[in-house]
Amino acid sequence: MGMYITYDLKIEPRYHNVYRIIRIDGNNTLHDLCSEILSAFNFDNDHLYMFSLKRKKYDGEGYFHPEASGEKSADEVSLNELNLKVRNKFLLLYDFGDEWLFDITVKKIEQSDILTLTHIKEQSGEIFQYPAWDDEENEYEEGEAEYEEFSKESEAENRFIFMDTDSSMVELLSENKPSDLKAIMRTLGIKFSKASKSASKGYANKIANFLSSNKEKLLDLLTPSAVILLYSIAFSDDDTAFEKQMETLSLDILIDLGLVEISNEYESFTIDVTRELYEFADYFKDSGKIDKIKQNYEWQKIFIALINLYGVAELKFLHESLCRYLKTQIDLETFKKSVVKPMAFWSEINFIETEVNSIVTIYAEEITENILTDRNNYDVLDYKKYDDEKLSGVISKGITHVLPDFNDITEYIVVEKQISPKEAVIFFVEFSATCLMGKDSDSILEMCEEWLGEHSLKLTKKLKDIILRIIKKHPCTLLMGFSWDEYNNKDTISQNQISLFDDFSF
């Protein structure tokens, strides 16, 4: 038996039809692997990163850059210590601003008596960390034409290709940790006994067999958008299965449940579909069942819009707002079971139940506690109410609908400066989330300036003025959905209400 173990790892930047196959000795750490990956694609090595064996961004159980805040450091674990097997997949997230995603697949594991120096075994295609857009030399009309052409190329590049796979749900599901599988079993009400760390295959078998016999239980486990995605993959064509963003974001749920896996063997983004997915989709094909799922999907869409407007809110208030918007009464327990708890299970929201209140939040528990405490510093006694027209706009277009100034930033960085729409969306999400939390203007401007600098752009006076306007007009969770402009204009906030959080104890 050889004294060295070598790994052939296929590295594929997500959304790009390029790859590298790297041969590396197993005594190298994940920190070493990250350096080799960046070198293979000619990337600068000057940003934070994290690895996730569960292929989740910012995975709490992942391995982080030594200077990041993760519990596990990537320079303290070797590839050999990960117990990798052929066909295992894991994720490298590089640069927490631009969020480059590298899918890593174990293609081969060999033993050798000779130490292998890391090298690129095979490669195809090129990508550029910082595309050199020559915007300054183009007229505005030319820039618009180039942007339109770029968008068409991006759309063609990111088409989803579906392929049936020989892999079973049990095989894919068993790649998860026993603790994750136990959590699924608890949600489904499946009994399990204590077992060793190698129990994943047994747990996966139990889950797959249980769901095969009790398909209705999928509704207790999956979010409505995940069920819609499952159904769309089975019965829609490639071009329409992912036409809604909510469904696309639910892909990770189907991956974690072992119903699909992602590969790049044929096109830039190939989804391998198990036979179990089709089996479950057939169950929902009954019109009555799918109508119920579509109803739950609409509830979820409105619920997401509401929680993104408030950041932290009582479930009772969000439920009442939902009913008021739909002009119908929805049973609270039904709503909680079909929408809230599945979203909380898959960490799309945080659901905190106390003796006094049930709180829904997009933040971690500690941050939520701080927000609720800090709210006492402001004399806002109840949530801001949105009329149907504004809420409809937020549901269909996102929070930017109530902030027209966002259009000016979009025109500048996407149309005029030709930054990738995907990268721009990442910036907008982070910027909006920071405003919602109520961070001070200097901190937000510093974050914006750093992102712009990474894309060879400057924070001009004009852009700074636009950003400051958005900060003042953006809903703030500290102010229960009101903006700082509204808070400073006391006439817009009622002073004669009883605070919903007066008796709140965390």
Side-chain angles (χ1 to χ4, degrees):
M1 182 177 293
M3 60 185 296
Y4 298 104
I5 300 177
T6 62
Y7 297 82
D8 285 3
L9 304 177
K10 187 172 185 180
I11 319 297
E12 301 165 287
R14 195 173 292 180
Y15 315 119
H16 296 272
N17 191 21
V18 303
Y19 71 87
R20 303 286 185 269
I21 294 181
I22 294 175
R23 176 161 288 185
I24 185 170
D25 182 78
N27 289 312
N28 283 283
T29 66
L30 286 176
H31 188 65
D32 298 326
L33 176 60
C34 180
S35 297
E36 296 294 346
I37 291 173
L38 297 177
S39 175
F41 290 100
N42 295 315
F43 274 37
D44 293 337
N45 191 353
D46 54 3
H47 293 287
L48 300 179
Y49 65 82
M50 60 82 58
F51 286 91
S52 171
L53 299 183
K54 297 163 67 176
R55 305 198 298 278
K56 289 186 176 180
K57 296 196 299 183
Y58 308 108
D59 178 7
E61 298 179 5
Y63 298 89
F64 285 75
H65 187 291
E67 297 179 8
S69 58
E71 292 185 8
K72 300 178 183 177
S73 179
D75 65 350
E76 295 179 356
V77 61
S78 70
L79 289 169
N80 286 337
E81 292 175 292
L82 298 178
N83 298 316
L84 296 171
K85 298 177 182 178
V86 174
R87 295 184 70 251
N88 280 174
K89 297 176 184 290
F90 56 107
L91 173 73
L92 165 63
L93 165 59
Y94 174 69
D95 187 348
F96 294 168
D98 286 352
E99 291 192 335
W100 281 93
L101 301 177
F102 295 88
D103 291 309
I104 306 170
T105 305
V106 181
K107 304 297 290 183
K108 184 185 294 185
I109 302 176
E110 293 182 335
Q111 293 184 337
S112 173
D113 293 322
I114 303 172
L115 176 64
T116 299
L117 298 178
T118 305
H119 62 279
I120 298 174
K121 185 179 176 183
E122 186 179 324
Q123 63 181 346
S124 175
E126 298 291 341
I127 56 172
F128 300 96
Q129 184 177 10
Y130 302 118
W133 299 107
D134 192 17
D135 353 278
E136 301 299 334
E137 298 179 4
N138 297 321
E139 296 295 330
Y140 179 74
E141 292 79 7
E142 292 176 346
E144 278 193 311
E146 289 178 5
Y147 169 65
E148 184 177 348
E149 182 179 351
F150 174 80
S151 297
K152 289 178 180 178
E153 291 175 357
S154 297
E155 184 178 348
E157 178 183 288
N158 294 323
R159 285 188 60 203
F160 296 93
I161 306 299
F162 296 97
M163 303 287 291
D164 293 345
T165 179
D166 293 332
S167 299
S168 69
M169 177 183 179
V170 172
E171 287 179 85
L172 301 182
L173 193 55
S174 62
E175 294 178 3
N176 292 313
K177 295 181 179 179
S179 57
D180 295 332
L181 298 177
K182 283 182 182 179
I184 294 175
M185 294 168 76
R186 288 191 196 96
T187 296
L188 295 173
I190 304 173
K191 294 182 179 180
F192 56 87
S193 56
K194 291 184 178 179
S196 65
K197 291 184 178 179
S198 61
S200 291
K201 187 72 175 285
Y203 290 156
N205 260 310
K206 283 190 174 184
I207 293 169
N209 290 335
F210 178 85
L211 288 174
S212 182
S213 302
N214 303 274
K215 297 181 180 66
E216 71 281 358
K217 287 293 185 178
L218 280 166
L219 296 179
D220 295 340
L221 180 65
L222 298 180
T223 62
S225 57
V227 181
I228 290 290
L229 176 57
L230 180 153
Y231 191 85
S232 298
I233 289 175
F235 299 119
S236 300
D237 59 55
D238 294 359
D239 295 328
T240 60
F242 285 91
E243 52 187 10
K244 297 183 180 67
Q245 184 184 17
M246 268 176 60
E247 296 172 22
T248 305
L249 294 175
S250 298
L251 181 60
D252 283 345
I253 296 177
L254 300 188
I255 292 173
D256 288 343
L257 197 57
L259 296 177
V260 300
E261 66 175 337
I262 297 175
S263 71
N264 295 57
E265 296 296 328
Y266 304 98
E267 295 289 341
S268 60
F269 198 26
T270 303
I271 298 177
D272 295 331
V273 184
T274 64
R275 64 172 180 80
E276 286 87 356
L277 181 139
Y278 294 108
E279 178 186 330
F280 295 150
D282 281 337
Y283 170 77
F284 293 118
K285 200 170 185 179
D286 176 273
S287 60
K289 294 186 181 70
I290 197 63
D291 286 347
K292 180 181 179 182
I293 294 164
K294 288 178 179 178
Q295 169 194 272
N296 294 346
Y297 178 81
E298 289 304 310
W299 294 355
Q300 182 188 0
K301 188 162 60 174
I302 300 166
F303 178 64
I304 289 173
L306 287 167
I307 191 60
N308 285 338
L309 281 172
Y310 298 102
V312 178
E314 286 184 317
L315 176 61
K316 180 182 177 183
F317 165 74
L318 296 172
H319 171 254
E320 290 173 349
S321 299
L322 176 75
C323 295
R324 185 167 54 249
Y325 176 75
L326 292 174
K327 296 178 174 57
T328 187
Q329 187 57 41
I330 300 167
D331 178 69
L332 178 58
E333 290 304 314
T334 300
F335 174 66
K336 187 190 299 186
K337 180 181 179 182
S338 61
V339 176
V340 181
K341 288 193 172 179
M343 288 183 68
F345 178 81
W346 298 103
S347 300
E348 293 184 353
I349 58 169
N350 196 3
F351 180 53
I352 306 168
E353 291 191 272
T354 72
E355 295 180 359
V356 180
N357 292 304
S358 296
I359 301 296
V360 179
T361 172
I362 58 177
Y363 305 113
E365 191 166 331
E366 183 179 353
I367 296 174
T368 301
E369 181 179 3
N370 292 335
I371 288 171
L372 294 173
T373 300
D374 290 344
R375 277 181 177 173
N376 295 323
N377 298 325
Y378 305 97
D379 52 344
V380 181
L381 303 178
D382 201 356
Y383 301 97
K384 177 178 178 178
K385 307 298 191 300
Y386 287 86
D387 60 37
D388 289 351
E389 182 180 353
K390 280 197 173 178
L391 187 53
S392 293
V394 174
I395 293 167
S396 61
K397 301 177 183 177
I399 201 169
T400 56
H401 176 73
V402 295
L403 298 162
D405 289 316
F406 259 111
N407 295 331
D408 294 332
I409 299 183
T410 302
E411 183 175 315
Y412 174 74
I413 68 175
V414 177
V415 179
E416 185 177 340
K417 295 301 181 182
Q418 304 254 320
I419 295 299
S420 159
K422 284 181 191 165
E423 294 181 14
V425 167
I426 293 170
F427 167 70
F428 291 149
V429 169
E430 184 178 356
F431 174 38
S432 180
T434 308
C435 292
L436 182 64
M437 281 191 72
K439 294 284 187 180
D440 63 86
S441 299
D442 288 342
S443 298
I444 299 174
L445 285 170
E446 184 179 343
M447 182 270 290
C448 294
E449 188 168 20
E450 181 179 345
W451 185 89
L452 291 165
E454 290 172 355
H455 294 79
S456 303
L457 301 177
K458 293 182 179 180
L459 181 61
T460 63
K461 183 180 183 304
K462 180 180 178 181
L463 189 57
K464 180 178 178 180
D465 290 341
I466 296 172
I467 290 172
L468 288 173
R469 287 204 303 270
I470 293 175
I471 293 172
K472 292 177 182 178
K473 295 176 183 178
H474 199 288
C476 178
T477 192
L478 291 174
L479 306 177
M480 302 177 80
F482 289 95
S483 68
W484 290 107
D485 271 358
E486 290 169 327
Y487 178 74
N488 292 323
N489 179 8
K490 300 298 184 181
D491 292 338
T492 65
I493 301 178
S494 172
Q495 302 298 310
N496 301 308
Q497 303 175 73
I498 299 174
S499 173
L500 295 177
F501 286 95
D502 278 350
D503 299 323
F504 181 79
S505 59
F506 206 88

